[in-house]
Amino acid sequence: LHSADAAWQADAFRWLLSRHGDGHLAAQIARALQRPATPGDPIHFFAVTQLAPALIAVLQHVSTGRDVHVYLPEPTPSFLGEV
C-alpha cells in the first residue's frame, strides 16, 4: 500500500509498537527464524488448504532440524466416512 490514504496504517503500527513493544506475532516469528532449528521428534501438522507465508517460513525453518509432516484435506464430493 503506497497511497497517501494508507499511510495511517504505518503510523498506527509504529504507535502500537511504541506503546506495547515488539511482542507481536510477526516479531516473534522473525526472532525465531534467526535461531537455529532444534533437532527432535517429527512434527505432524494438520492444516487447511491455505497457509500464511509466515507459517510456511516457520515450517521450512523447523524442517531443517527435524521431519515435518503436513496433512492437508483433500476435497471430495463423496462422504469419506462410508468408504
Side-chain angles (χ1 to χ4, degrees):
L1 300 173
H2 298 290
S3 70
D5 293 335
W8 67 270
Q9 294 177 11
D11 292 337
F13 190 71
R14 282 191 285 275
W15 180 83
L16 287 168
L17 282 178
S18 71
R19 301 267 310 202
H20 302 285
D22 64 350
H24 57 84
L25 182 60
Q28 292 175 22
I29 289 172
R31 285 192 298 274
L33 292 178
Q34 292 178 4
R35 293 191 299 265
T38 56
D41 293 334
I43 294 175
H44 295 268
F45 184 80
F46 293 84
V48 295
T49 56
Q50 296 180 359
L51 299 174
L55 183 54
I56 292 171
V58 169
L59 291 173
Q60 287 174 328
H61 180 70
V62 169
S63 73
T64 63
R66 62 180 72 194
D67 288 341
V68 176
H69 303 272
V70 179
Y71 302 91
L72 301 171
E74 181 178 340
T76 178
S78 303
F79 176 62
L80 296 178
E82 297 175 356
V83 174

